[in-house]
Amino acid sequence: MLPLLKIDNLCKTYENEGVETKALCGVSFSIKKGEFVSIMGPSGSGKSTLMQILGLLDRSTEGNYFLNGKDVILMNDDDLAFTRNKTFGFVFQAFNLLPRTTVFENVELPLLYDKSSGGNNQEKVLKALKAVGIDHRQNYFSNQLSGGEKQRVAIARALVNDPEVIFADEPTGNLDSKTGVQVMEIFEKLNQEGHTIILVTHETITASYAKRIIKVLDGKIVSDKLISEEKRRLAEMRKKIK
């Protein structure tokens, strides 16, 4: 079976006034459907740049990226936009919700850009809201919600198109520890239901929810390890104590 995502010798170089900066260099790995992977590293390590390339928000400078066996480099901008909307859901640290818009309307937004969605927006939105336990807030405005509720809405918005992959970039960064645990438990549940989760974080506790951790430093992969069930159970015990 082909991997869902496969990158080979990926590099990303930024140029500013003639000065080149390598954000990524020689990055290679693959991710199977149904995995829960954490990409971990300090600020400036290249992990967010890597997520943007994997999520088709940016292009690499060198190397290959295959999505479901298709070479991304062959896609034009329209192909990239269509694939990004149908295949991926995104959750960000800052929530990125429209402030004077209801919870329902925020979650519906990706469907409005998808001409092939086939209608039934209300059913799809309510299903996504129920999946994260926020359907009772559907008529609230996003600026009336707590941080944890905002992140649940952001996750519901990422879910509404039933994507193959959910990218989460520092999803607990603006939350207290207790709320962060609740949000990570939602991602854990979604993974158990079959969603592929790719999490970007610098926090060890947040990363421990994944089943595999890829560590990035100075634009290169320094380790790629599966987390054993025993270690995961110990990590969960520590979270409960806290």
Side-chain angles (χ1 to χ4, degrees):
M1 180 183 291
L2 288 172
L4 179 57
L5 310 175
K6 184 179 188 298
I7 58 173
D8 183 33
N9 202 31
L10 205 70
C11 295
K12 178 64 179 181
T13 303
Y14 294 101
E15 185 173 337
N16 184 20
E17 296 182 355
V19 178
E20 291 189 348
T21 303
K22 280 191 176 293
L24 294 171
C25 186
V27 176
S28 300
F29 61 82
S30 61
I31 295 177
K32 298 175 184 176
K33 182 176 176 62
E35 282 199 83
F36 190 165
V37 180
S38 175
I39 299 173
M40 192 177 179
S43 178
S45 61
K47 61 186 186 299
S48 290
T49 299
L50 179 55
M51 190 210 77
Q52 289 171 356
I53 293 172
L54 293 176
L56 305 182
L57 297 168
D58 197 1
R59 289 184 181 268
S60 62
T61 309
E62 300 174 42
N64 299 101
Y65 174 19
F66 296 93
L67 174 62
N68 281 319
K70 297 179 181 178
D71 192 343
V72 168
I73 200 169
L74 301 178
M75 295 182 182
N76 60 33
D77 288 344
D78 288 339
D79 293 334
L80 290 173
F82 177 80
T83 303
R84 185 168 56 241
N85 194 49
K86 295 293 289 185
T87 309
F88 302 137
F90 296 91
V91 180
F92 298 99
Q93 177 178 345
F95 317 128
N96 292 354
L97 302 180
L98 301 176
R100 290 180 293 277
T101 307
T102 66
V103 165
F104 184 98
E105 290 166 336
N106 267 284
V107 175
E108 185 185 27
L109 197 59
L111 298 174
L112 301 180
Y113 289 103
D114 182 10
K115 296 178 182 178
S116 64
S117 65
N120 298 319
N121 284 9
Q122 184 170 6
E123 182 180 336
K124 292 177 181 178
V125 171
L126 291 177
K127 180 181 177 182
L129 289 171
K130 286 177 181 177
V132 298
I134 198 71
D135 51 305
H136 61 295
R137 293 280 196 262
Q138 62 175 292
N139 294 320
Y140 279 56
F141 289 98
S142 58
N143 56 6
Q144 295 176 303
L145 305 178
S146 67
E149 288 173 330
K150 287 179 181 178
Q151 197 59 294
R152 286 173 185 263
V153 175
I155 296 170
R157 183 181 57 194
L159 276 175
V160 76
N161 264 339
D162 193 24
E164 287 189 77
V165 183
I166 298 173
F167 288 98
D169 191 1
E170 301 283 7
T172 62
N174 282 340
L175 306 175
D176 61 74
S177 57
K178 183 179 179 181
T179 307
V181 166
Q182 292 171 350
V183 165
M184 289 311 302
E185 286 175 346
I186 292 173
F187 284 116
E188 194 170 47
K189 178 175 176 286
L190 292 172
N191 178 244
Q192 290 167 355
E193 292 172 352
H195 289 279
T196 305
I197 311 289
I198 300 177
L199 168 72
V200 173
T201 184
H202 68 279
E203 298 176 346
T204 302
I205 291 178
T206 301
S208 70
Y209 280 88
K211 297 175 183 176
R212 173 184 170 196
I213 296 179
I214 298 172
K215 290 186 178 180
V216 182
L217 183 66
D218 297 331
K220 298 179 180 180
I221 293 178
V222 293
S223 70
D224 183 350
K225 296 180 180 179
L226 294 173
I227 303 176
S228 70
E229 276 302 313
E230 184 178 355
K231 287 184 178 180
R232 293 187 78 238
R233 281 196 296 269
L234 289 171
E236 287 169 6
M237 287 174 64
R238 287 197 296 271
K239 291 166 201 163
K240 288 178 181 178
I241 291 170
K242 290 187 176 184

